[in-house]
Amino acid sequence: MPRCAGSKPDGSPCERIVPGSQSYCYSHDPDRSDERRRNASRAGKSRPNKEIQDIKQSLSNLAEGVLAGSVDKGVGAVVSQIYNVLLRGVSVELKVREEQELEQRLEELETALQAREEGSRWG
Ligand SMILES: [Zn+2]
């Protein structure tokens, strides 16, 4: 069965099985480096990630305000509750996205597996 011709960051060979028509897996295919970059930057800058960062920053500012006495404890408690609800909502959104990505990878794997099975049947 064909294995990917690429190598891992540590220099050892990538051992992923690839469809017979390809020499590289998704991570190492030079033809798909642009696609990879696009996907990676999309994941890094995705809205939920940014939102979580913003909410965490706001919560941390709020905590500092309460500790310093510039924010009323009662107000701090209510606002932090609201932020927590927001955080939960954004986390769920992020999880759904991650699941969609996993599904996509699974499909790629199934395609590769199918190609392998066809290869062994006819080759
Ligand atoms: Zn590879």
Side-chain angles (χ1 to χ4, degrees), residues 55 58-59 62-63 66 71-88:
I55 294 168
S58 303
L59 273 169
L62 190 69
V66 172
V71 176
D72 178 79
K73 267 188 286 186
V75 172
V78 172
V79 174
S80 75
Q81 270 175 18
I82 295 168
Y83 276 132
N84 274 323
V85 173
L86 260 175
L87 208 55
R88 258 205 302 279

Side-chain angles (χ1 to χ4, degrees), residues 4-8 13-16 18 23-29:
C4 171
S7 44
K8 290 188 247 184
C14 173
E15 288 171 343
R16 275 189 217 160
V18 294
S23 320
Y24 295 97
C25 73
Y26 172 75
S27 305
H28 293 116
D29 190 341

Side-chain angles (χ1 to χ4, degrees), residues 6-58:
S7 44
K8 290 188 247 184
D10 66 3
S12 64
C14 173
E15 288 171 343
R16 275 189 217 160
I17 294 157
V18 294
S21 58
Q22 289 169 27
S23 320
Y24 295 97
C25 73
Y26 172 75
S27 305
H28 293 116
D29 190 341
D31 294 340
R32 299 179 78 174
S33 63
D34 283 345
E35 185 185 340
R36 266 196 316 275
R37 229 190 333 267
R38 270 201 307 277
N39 286 344
S41 72
R42 205 184 299 146
K45 285 186 219 134
S46 75
R47 200 168 51 83
N49 272 337
K50 177 83 174 68
E51 276 178 356
I52 287 178
Q53 276 168 21
D54 287 349
I55 294 168
K56 277 159 84 177
Q57 186 59 52
S58 303

